[in-house]
Amino acid sequence: VNWTCKAFWNATEAPAIQQVHSDYHYITKNTNNNTYYFCNDGGLYKSTNMTSFTPIYDGMVISQFYDIDITASENGKIVGGLQDNSMVERKAGNWLTHIGGDGMFAEVSDFDPNLMIGSSQNGGLEFTNDGFATASQRIANGNGYGIDEAGPWVTPFQMSPFNDNIFVGAFTTKVFYTKTLRALDPNNKDANLFKSLAISGEGTAVR
């Protein structure tokens, strides 16, 4: 049996093939008009020739949230993580997409709506203090700020609702925290910004 790739999820790796979301769950064919339908983590697509694929999911309320957060600092603002569909932000009635990958936990400050932390799988935390006007900064997975390990598939974390300088996150073997989140500087990846609580069966050691 020979297989031919007709669609691919990453346009960079396969630029000659149409980009269609991956992770398929169901494929069926309407024999009356020879139209194929494809259900995947990105929604619903159709094709009549197996060369071009048309998304037909507009208006479908099918996004799966891992987590959402709201803020007291901006009316109507919501941030959240979508299963295999990035971090999203609802701003002024519109939905915006950030980060990429599997959107997981997301937090927005109750004092500054431009201060947000989103995440992708395994603790891929990203920080912005300008509402994503510029590129977000990765602050985990050994990127220089002191969080030196990956997290579980869905890595829980929280920004304090009383002081947005305070952050805590539970990774694979350690709980990381900081009291100076706003001091994060992309030009100075201070390895001491985040501290860790190493947890073991013999007790908790604070470092």
Side-chain angles (χ1 to χ4, degrees):
V1 177
N2 295 318
W3 293 90
T4 302
C5 184
K6 292 294 188 177
F8 198 69
W9 70 276
N10 190 328
T12 302
E13 295 182 25
I17 301 174
Q18 183 175 344
Q19 183 178 3
V20 179
H21 207 288
S22 59
D23 298 328
Y24 286 83
H25 299 280
Y26 189 72
I27 299 174
T28 191
K29 180 183 179 181
N30 184 339
T31 55
N32 293 323
N33 58 13
N34 289 321
T35 300
Y36 287 87
Y37 295 89
F38 305 87
C39 304
N40 56 42
D41 279 1
L44 180 64
Y45 296 76
K46 70 175 183 179
S47 177
T48 57
N49 55 17
M50 295 298 289
T51 300
S52 60
F53 299 82
T54 303
I56 55 174
Y57 47 73
D58 279 355
M60 293 184 180
V61 186
I62 55 176
S63 297
Q64 177 186 338
F65 280 89
Y66 278 105
D67 178 66
I68 63 170
D69 191 31
I70 59 174
T71 174
S73 59
E74 183 177 312
N75 187 40
K77 186 179 188 114
I78 303 170
V79 297
L82 292 181
Q83 191 274 329
D84 211 11
N85 281 275
S86 310
M87 172 190 173
V88 292
E89 172 195 4
R90 185 178 186 272
K91 183 177 179 66
N94 299 310
W95 287 98
L96 310 173
T97 301
H98 308 298
I99 299 179
D102 279 87
M104 300 296 185
F105 271 59
E107 292 275 301
V108 55
S109 166
D110 273 326
F111 307 96
D112 179 358
N114 290 318
L115 177 60
M116 292 175 274
I117 300 177
S119 64
S120 54
Q121 61 270 30
N122 299 120
L125 272 63
E126 304 254 350
F127 169 90
T128 180
N129 59 8
D130 63 8
F132 292 98
T134 58
S136 57
Q137 299 299 318
R138 177 153 290 215
I139 59 175
N141 289 352
N143 203 42
Y145 294 106
I147 300 178
D148 57 3
E149 66 176 22
W153 180 253
V154 182
T155 300
F157 62 86
Q158 186 169 21
M159 191 188 309
S160 170
F162 307 106
N163 181 346
D164 58 15
N165 257 314
I166 298 174
F167 165 96
V168 62
F171 284 72
T172 303
T173 64
K174 305 171 187 173
V175 173
F176 290 92
Y177 72 97
T178 183
K179 296 180 180 180
T180 57
L181 183 63
R182 283 184 169 275
L184 190 147
D185 180 358
N187 298 311
N188 178 26
K189 295 184 178 181
D190 181 2
N192 296 312
L193 183 67
F194 291 90
K195 306 292 186 181
S196 68
L197 302 173
I199 302 173
S200 71
E202 298 177 356
T204 302
V206 180
R207 291 204 296 262

